[in-house]
C-alpha cells in the first residue's frame, strides 16, 4: 500500500469513528458480503452515509440504483427513505442478488426494495415500458463501460430536479488519460462528456481518497426544458 493510502485509510477510520458510531446492521452486511466472497467494492461506510444524507437532502421517495452487489449501498439509501419510499435496484448476477436479499431482510428493509436480476439495460427497458413515477435520485454503480447508456436511461426516467450520482469516475486519476483503451476508464470519461455536454444537466465531480483509494463521484441535477 502506498504511503498516502495508509493515511487516507486512517483518516477514513477516524472520520467514521467520530461521525457514524456503531452500526451493527451495516457492519454485519459487510461481513456477510466478504464471507460470501463478493468483491470488496461496496461503497465505504462514509460514502454510504453520504448516500443516506443525499436521500434526505433531496427528499427522495423513489430511487433507482444500477449495480446492487450485496446491497450495502442499497440498504444505506433504503434506511434513509421516508415511510412509503421505494428503491428499485438492478443487478446482473443471481449470486449477488441472493446475498443482497438476505441483507435486505436482515436490515428489515425488504418491503421498500424491488430487486431486478438480469442485465440492467434489459431491466431499464422494462421499467421504461412500465412508465412508473420518475425517480428522484439515481445512483449508477455497475459496469462502467455502459455508463453512457445508463445515463441515457436515467434522463428518460428522471424529472426536473432529479439528482444523478455516478460512482468511480476518477479511477486513480486514470480518467484524464484521453487515449486510454481501458473500457472502464472510457466509461468514466463518458460520464464527464455526458454531464458536461447535456443542456439539461448541471454537474460537478468530487475526488475522494480513503479506504477505497483515489476515486470519486460525479453528480448532476436535471433541469427543466
Ligand atoms: N452499489 C454497490 C456496489 C456495486 S458493484 C455497493 O456500493 O454496495 C457493481 C455491481 O454491478 C456488481 O454486483 C455487478 O455484478 C453489477 N453489474 C455488472 N454488470 C451489470 C449489468 N450489465 N447489469 C446489472 N448489474 C451489473
Ligand atoms: C470497481 C467497481 C466499483 O463499483 C467500485 O466502487 C470500485 C471498484 C471495480 O470494478 O474495480
Ligand atoms: Mg462503485
Amino acid at each position: 500500500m502506498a504511503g498516502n493510502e495508509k493515511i487516507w485509510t486512517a483518516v477514513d477510520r477516524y472520520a467514521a469513528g467520530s461521525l457514524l458510531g456503531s452500526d451493527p446492521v451495516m457492519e454485519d452486511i459487510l461481513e456477510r458480503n466478504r464471507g460470501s466472497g463478493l468483491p470488496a467494492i461496496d461503497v465505504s461506510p462514509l460514502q454510504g452515509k453520504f448516500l443516506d444524507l443525499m436521500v434526505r437532502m433531496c427528499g427522495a421517495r423513489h430511487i433507482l440504483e444500477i449495480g446492487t452487489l450485496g446491497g450495502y449501498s442499497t440498504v444505506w439509501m433504503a434506511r434513509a427513505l421516508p415511510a412509503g419510499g421505494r428503491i428499485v435496484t438492478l443487478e446482473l448476477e443471481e449470486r449477488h442478488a441472493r446475498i443482497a436479499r438476505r441483507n435486505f431482510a436482515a436490515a428489515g428493509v425488504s418491503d421498500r426494495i424491488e430487486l431486478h436480476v438480469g442485465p440492467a439495460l434489459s431491466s431499464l427497458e422494462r421499467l421504461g415500458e412500465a412508465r412508473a413515477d420518475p425517480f428522484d435520485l439515481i445512483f449508477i454503480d455497475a459496469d462502467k463501460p455502459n455508463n453512457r447508456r445508463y445515463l441515457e436511461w436515467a434522463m428518460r426516467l428522471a424529472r426536473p430536479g432529479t439528482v444523478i450520482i455516478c460512482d468511480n469516475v476518477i479511477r486513480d486519476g486514470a480518467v484524464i488519460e484521453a487515449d486510454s483503451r481501458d473500457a472502464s476508464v472510457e466509461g468514466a470519461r463518458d460520464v464527464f462528456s455526458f454531464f458536461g455536454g447535456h443542456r439539461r444537466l448541471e454537474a460537478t465531480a468530487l475526488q475522494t481518497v480513503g479506504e477505497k483509494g483515489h476515486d470519486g463521484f460525479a453528480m448532476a441535477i436535471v433541469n427543466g426544458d
Side-chain angles (χ1 to χ4, degrees), residues 151-216:
L151 287 168
E152 284 161 0
W153 272 110
M155 291 307 291
R156 275 176 235 160
L157 301 171
R159 55 161 173 83
T162 293
V163 169
I164 303 173
I165 304 177
C166 295
D167 194 21
N168 312 115
V169 300
I170 304 295
R171 310 202 69 93
D172 274 317
V175 66
I176 63 174
E177 291 166 14
D179 298 331
S180 175
R181 285 295 153 262
D182 176 324
S184 292
V185 172
E186 293 181 89
R189 293 177 64 83
D190 287 342
V191 175
F192 285 84
S193 63
F194 192 94
F195 279 178
H198 200 293
R199 71 183 169 79
R200 286 185 64 208
L201 291 172
E202 283 178 66
T204 190
L206 294 175
Q207 299 189 67
T208 54
V209 296
E211 60 181 67
K212 292 192 71 186
H214 174 206
D215 212 329

Side-chain angles (χ1 to χ4, degrees), residues 123-145:
S123 301
L124 288 162
E125 287 278 355
R126 281 192 291 277
L127 281 176
E129 282 159 14
R131 293 190 164 277
D133 292 342
F135 293 100
D136 309 312
L137 177 65
I138 300 176
F139 179 51
I140 300 179
D141 188 20
D143 47 329
K144 314 310 176 190

Side-chain angles (χ1 to χ4, degrees), residues 35-55:
S36 314
L38 291 183
I41 56 176
D42 337 65
V43 294
S44 72
L46 289 162
Q47 292 170 345
K49 187 68 191 181
F50 165 74
L51 293 173
D52 165 321
L53 294 177
M54 286 299 295
V55 171

Side-chain angles (χ1 to χ4, degrees), residues 13-36:
R13 214 164 284 146
Y14 164 75
S18 310
L19 303 175
L20 303 185
S22 114
D23 193 339
V25 170
M26 298 315 298
E27 286 156 21
D28 287 355
I29 291 176
L30 283 185
E31 208 168 291
R32 192 171 301 115
N33 290 357
R34 292 302 79 77
S36 314

Side-chain angles (χ1 to χ4, degrees), residues 1-14 209-214:
M1 188 186 274
N4 282 339
E5 262 183 77
K6 233 160 134 178
I7 192 160
W8 299 342
T9 301
V11 172
D12 253 14
R13 214 164 284 146
Y14 164 75
V209 296
E211 60 181 67
K212 292 192 71 186
H214 174 206

